[in-house]
């Protein structure tokens, strides 16, 4: 599976979560974190998609995606440890942890793999 297939929906989920957190509790930290991280992931997913169209890998995008997911895993994991609430901190930490593992796997295996051209 290609990284942009998961990165763009993951970014959209974070944007929506930031907006919902702001709407429900007035938390500007949720809004800034969700919008900032979400839009950065959407942008890197788009960069990865454009590189895929050229049959190349965007290691820059993979590194940014991995860093965002790892930092978000740590931050939301700390939040979960403080509050012991599974929603939303535990869920976001879990999803971000899975995404971090996925991105590390993509980096280790050489990024997106392209099928050979058939003549």
């Amino acid at each position: 599976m290609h990284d942009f297939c998961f990165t763009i929906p993951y970014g959209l989920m974070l944007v929506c979560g930031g907006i919902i957190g702001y709407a429900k509790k007035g938390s500007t930290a949720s809004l800034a974190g969700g919008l900032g991280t979400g839009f950065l992931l959407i942008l890197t997913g788009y960069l990865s998609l454009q590189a895929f169209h050229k049959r190349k890998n965007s290691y820059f995008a993979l590194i940014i995606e991995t860093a965002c997911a790892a930092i978000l895993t740590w931050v939301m994991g700390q939040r979960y440890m403080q509050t012991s609430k599974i929603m939303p901190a535990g869920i976001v930490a879990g999803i971000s942890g899975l995404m971090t593992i996925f991105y590390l796997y993509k980096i280790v295996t050489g990024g997106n793999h392209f099928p050979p051209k058939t003549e």
Side-chain angles (χ1 to χ4, degrees), residues 6-60:
F6 291 118
T7 302
I8 294 172
Y10 176 48
L12 290 172
M13 179 194 74
L14 294 175
V15 167
C16 291
I19 292 171
I20 291 169
Y22 180 73
K24 281 191 169 186
K25 301 205 178 199
S27 172
T28 55
S30 291
L31 182 65
L35 289 179
T37 308
F39 282 133
L40 183 61
L41 285 169
I42 292 169
L43 175 66
T44 56
Y46 178 76
L47 291 174
S48 181
L49 177 62
Q50 295 305 311
F52 178 77
H53 286 306
K54 296 176 185 173
R55 301 183 65 79
K56 295 182 179 180
N57 284 306
S58 176
Y59 289 105
F60 173 74

Side-chain angles (χ1 to χ4, degrees), residues 1 9-11 18 32-33 42 56-57 68-69 74 76 82 86-87 92-93 97 119:
M1 185 59 77
Y10 176 48
I42 292 169
K56 295 182 179 180
N57 284 306
C68 284
W74 186 77
M76 293 309 279
Q82 290 173 351
I86 195 72
M87 285 296 285
V92 174
E119 296 290 326

Side-chain angles (χ1 to χ4, degrees), residues 1-7 52 102 105-106 109 111-113:
M1 185 59 77
H2 305 294
D3 59 309
F4 56 84
C5 295
F6 291 118
T7 302
F52 178 77
F102 172 71
Y105 170 77
K106 293 305 273 186
T109 60
N112 295 321
H113 300 282

